[in-house]
Structure formats: structure tokens, C-alpha cells
Amino acid sequence: TKMGQRPSDESVEKFEKRNEVDITSTSGAISADSIPTLAFPSISTADFQFNLEKASDIIVEKVEEFISRIGNARLVLVDLSHGSKILSLVKAKAAQKNIDSNKFFTFVGDITQLHSQGGLHCNVIANAANWRLKPGGGGVNAAIFSAAGSALEVATKERASSLRPGKCVIVPLPSSSPLFLREGVTHVIHVLGPNMNPLRPDCLKDDYIQGCRILREAYASLFEGFISIVK
Ligand code: AR6
């Protein structure tokens, strides 16, 4: 399957050249002093059916706004397949704006297996959550809760019981979680994006004035949250 494949696009090659210190090839150990990195999925663009052109504009706009504030840290937009439309849109628009590709790049892989399958260590990962902050439901939310085990559910409940669109909650991951042990993930940031899917709660019914405002707010709170972790 595509998910299990080792990503082979140029961002990966670039990454491997830059980042030999990150991975101890003999032991597979995860170096604690590697570059602080946030891996995030494209919020709202699959199950929540948000327009891809508009979402890609907002991702690049927000990355550009925050990149000067993240120091030596990095932001990585992740999706499962090499055919991902959102990844190609964002990649092209980021290049147009001359965004530093050492600090922001796209990466193909499962966000729950970035280190073990992709050789990319991300200490923080973002989740496209639901308002109840519950496991399941499909998409990246189901994948993250399943890979992180019950430790994430418990730790999430300690922080919040629900989320409003545009907001996020930072959850430190207990060291007992498989995601911590295997992937070196220390924090999960749950983000609730705007919803355009009539079958899901709080549907905006194609109101992209509200939708774009909420998606901007979602990325701003995600990046603020990441900065608060790494600073
Ligand atoms: N690794 C990396 N990216 C992924 C993965 C993965 N394992 N799985 C999906 N994506 P979605 P939304 C990408 O639908 O649109 C849930 O049921 C996917 O290709 O997960 O914000 C929640 O409970 C897409 O680019 O999130 C909510 O109810 C991106 O992640 C609802 O879906 C987001 O797709 C949220 O919908």
C-alpha cells in the first residue's frame, strides 16, 4: 500500500541530507536534541469538505506569518499519498512566495509513523479533531487516537472535554504511549477546523466568509500552540 511506502519526494531527500543527527541508524533511537518540528495535516479538507484552493491559500498565508517566530524549528504539512492535491497546491504556492524550504516543507506519509516509516522526527503532531475530542470517526483523528493508545484519550480528557471551531488544545503525551516511544512524539495538538459537511455538526453550508475566518484562526492557534511548546 501507499501508506507503507518510504516517501521518495525531494523534500525527503533534502531532509535526509540536512538531518543526519536526527536518527541513530544503528539503534533506531530518537535523538532528544533533534530540530523541533510540528507535523500537521490539512485541517478540514477531507471529511469536513473545505475547498482545497482556499485552504491552500490559508495554509501558506499562516505559515508565512508565523515562520519568522519559530526560530530554528520547522513546520511540515503531511498527507498520505503522493497524489495529494492539497500537498501540491501548498508546495507550489509556498515556492511562489519564496518560503524557506528548510523551515517549511510538505511530506508524504502517515502522521502516526513519520519517524519509524519516513525517517522524519516530529516532536509535535497536530490532529484534525472533532468537537467532542473523541477517538474514531475516521481520517487522521482515528489514526492518531488508535496509534497513541488510551494514554492520549486520558490525557486529552484532563485538558478539555470539547472544542469550538477555530480553537485547539495542547495535550502532552504520556511517555507510556506507543506514539511517544516509537515515534518520539511528545505533544499532540488537537485542532477543530470549520466544517462544510452537512452530515457533521456545525455545518457552515458553504459560508466561506465564516469558513475562511475560522480556518485562519485554527492555523493561528495551532502555530501559537507549537511556539508555546518549543520556546
Ligand atoms: N496521516 C496523515 N494525513 C492523514 C492521515 C494520516 N494517517 N489520515 C488522513 N490524513 P480528515 P477533516 C489527511 O478527514 O477534514 C474525523 O472523522 C487527509 O488526507 O482527517 O478536518 C474527525 O473526527 C486530509 O488531507 O479531517 C472529524 O469529525 C487531512 O488529513 C473530521 O474527520 C484531514 O482529513 C475532521 O475532518
Side-chain angles (χ1 to χ4, degrees):
T1 67
K2 281 222 154 108
M3 274 176 65
Q5 270 173 18
R6 191 179 163 77
S8 60
D9 72 39
E10 53 177 347
S11 56
V12 182
E13 287 163 22
K14 212 181 269 169
F15 169 78
E16 285 174 343
K17 270 183 230 132
R18 265 199 321 273
N19 210 35
E20 294 91 353
V21 290
D22 198 39
I23 295 143
T24 314
S25 54
T26 45
S27 68
I30 301 162
S31 166
D33 60 352
S34 62
I35 306 166
T37 306
L38 168 70
F40 64 100
S42 169
I43 306 298
S44 292
T45 56
D47 190 46
F48 278 179
Q49 300 178 2
F50 200 93
N51 177 277
L52 296 181
E53 281 290 349
K54 291 182 169 67
S56 58
D57 283 339
I58 290 171
I59 291 169
V60 174
E61 174 195 316
K62 286 293 152 188
V63 165
E64 196 178 30
E65 190 181 322
F66 279 87
I67 205 138
S68 60
R69 292 178 49 202
I70 61 168
N72 72 327
R74 306 180 300 189
L75 307 173
V76 183
L77 176 68
V78 177
D79 201 356
L80 286 170
S81 107
H82 284 278
S84 164
K85 182 136 186 257
I86 192 76
L87 287 198
S88 19
L89 285 169
V90 166
K91 214 169 164 174
K93 290 174 184 181
Q96 257 170 30
K97 290 196 168 194
N98 289 315
I99 293 179
D100 183 351
S101 62
N102 292 306
K103 285 184 154 191
F104 174 64
F105 53 94
T106 62
F107 195 88
V108 176
D110 183 331
I111 204 164
T112 67
Q113 302 190 321
L114 291 173
H115 179 255
S116 59
Q117 296 293 313
L120 178 65
H121 178 211
C122 299
N123 59 318
V124 183
I125 64 172
N127 177 30
N130 52 64
W131 75 276
R132 288 179 195 276
L133 295 168
K134 290 285 187 199
V140 73
N141 183 72
I144 290 175
F145 272 102
S146 150
S150 57
L152 178 60
E153 238 186 292
V154 173
T156 299
K157 275 190 197 128
E158 282 170 12
R159 301 267 154 168
S161 54
S162 66
L163 208 53
R164 294 300 306 153
K167 307 290 182 201
C168 75
V169 56
I170 301 173
V171 181
L173 197 58
S175 54
S176 60
S177 168
L179 258 192
F180 183 104
L181 295 166
R182 192 186 62 228
E183 308 296 334
V185 175
T186 62
H187 296 76
V188 174
I189 305 181
H190 298 295
V191 188
L192 184 61
N195 171 37
M196 296 296 176
N197 180 348
L199 303 177
R200 299 285 177 267
D202 294 320
C203 177
L204 291 169
K205 299 182 182 137
D206 271 359
D207 179 354
Y208 274 98
I209 305 283
Q210 288 287 332
C212 289
R213 185 185 57 74
I214 295 170
L215 193 61
R216 284 196 180 88
E217 188 189 351
Y219 281 109
S221 32
L222 170 61
F223 297 155
E224 289 286 0
F226 175 59
I227 289 169
S228 78
I229 294 169
V230 302
K231 76 161 183 251

